[in-house]
Amino acid sequence: MDWLAVLSPLPPLVSLGLILLSGFTSLISASLGVGGGTLLIVTMAQVMPADALIPVHGMVQLGSNGGRLVMSWRHLHWPLLLAFLPGAVVGALVASWLLIRLPTGLLELTIAAFVLYTLWGPGLPKRALGRWGTGIAGAVTTLLSSFVGASGPMVAAFIKQHGNPRQTTVATFAACMTFQHLTKAFVFGAAGFLFADWLALIVAMVAMGVVGTWLGLRLLNRLSEHRFDHGFRLVLTALSLRLVWLGLSRLLA
């Protein structure tokens, strides 16, 4: 257990638990397309200092999504990704300029409303799914990601609207989230966060996340389109309802 003691400022058993959880949540994201990152940040929030939570989670998710992208890049929807990236850059620049914590209750309710609408409401108009609409989605979700940590359900719900096969959905989502989490290294680095204090834990969680991703992608290939779509919707809906509860509790507190 001595090696666990030097991984991070956290107790050794807590560090071990986070490493194992990283593998499990990566398996969830790889097989169902979304959900692992949100589950991970909710758990990390219980045991980590508030000022380290979002930057550390962002770097772990960068590794997890990056690994999934490397393993599934052949299925990428390039036009969608290339339209998303410029907006993500703009969102990151705005986040680095603000460097404040926005009202979390309101932000969580906004994310939940968008996800639930895209899942169960009328389809988004074609204009919203075009290059400009995708760029705006990239900017808004990247900005929110720097403040609330897990914007994955919002990005996933938008990507799902394009109606691509499950492998393309997972690969394109991984690519968008990889770039989005990469921007956090610059945003929080500019804000003075010391990543070195948490680097060993981040590396260990990323390594376990790669294992979870490998297993999850093999599970994905065994799922039918119907089962994937059903599971994808259920996970996103559950995460969104949880965001509604969190948002209301914080607004009314």
Side-chain angles (χ1 to χ4, degrees), residues 22-47:
S22 177
F24 176 67
T25 54
S26 293
L27 184 150
I28 292 176
S29 291
S31 58
L32 292 180
V34 70
T38 302
L39 175 59
L40 183 61
I41 196 172
V42 168
T43 306
M44 291 173 68
Q46 314 302 316
V47 297

Side-chain angles (χ1 to χ4, degrees), residues 22-221:
S22 177
F24 176 67
T25 54
S26 293
L27 184 150
I28 292 176
S29 291
S31 58
L32 292 180
V34 70
T38 302
L39 175 59
L40 183 61
I41 196 172
V42 168
T43 306
M44 291 173 68
Q46 314 302 316
V47 297
M48 289 190 63
D51 60 343
L53 175 62
I54 294 180
V56 172
H57 174 265
M59 294 307 96
V60 172
Q61 287 298 287
L62 170 62
S64 177
N65 283 281
R68 197 179 326 141
L69 172 60
V70 170
M71 296 179 198
S72 61
W73 67 269
R74 293 178 180 83
H75 300 286
L76 263 178
H77 189 288
W78 285 100
L80 177 56
L81 174 62
L82 294 177
F84 183 90
L85 295 185
V89 172
V90 172
L93 291 174
V94 173
S96 65
W97 176 65
L98 288 175
L99 292 179
I100 59 173
R101 186 163 181 81
L102 301 178
T104 55
L106 182 60
L107 287 174
E108 287 156 352
L109 288 174
T110 301
I111 294 173
F114 178 86
V115 173
L116 291 173
Y117 174 84
T118 55
L119 286 177
W120 305 107
L124 293 174
K126 290 184 178 179
R127 181 176 299 180
L129 298 176
R131 178 172 293 273
W132 284 103
T134 302
I136 292 172
V140 172
T141 57
T142 301
L143 175 62
L144 293 177
S145 180
S146 296
F147 298 117
V148 300
S151 62
M154 194 172 184
V155 177
F158 181 83
I159 291 176
K160 187 184 182 304
Q161 288 285 309
H162 289 76
N164 292 311
R166 63 189 186 279
Q167 288 90 350
T168 301
T169 297
V170 169
T172 306
F173 173 70
C176 291
M177 295 306 294
T178 295
F179 188 81
Q180 193 171 86
H181 287 300
L182 180 61
T183 66
K184 292 182 183 179
F186 298 98
V187 171
F188 288 98
F193 181 76
L194 299 177
F195 285 102
D197 294 343
W198 299 88
L199 184 59
L201 178 63
I202 291 172
V203 171
M205 291 179 71
V206 168
M208 185 60 71
V210 170
V211 175
T213 294
W214 185 84
L215 294 173
L217 287 176
R218 274 141 190 80
L219 178 60
L220 172 67
N221 291 330

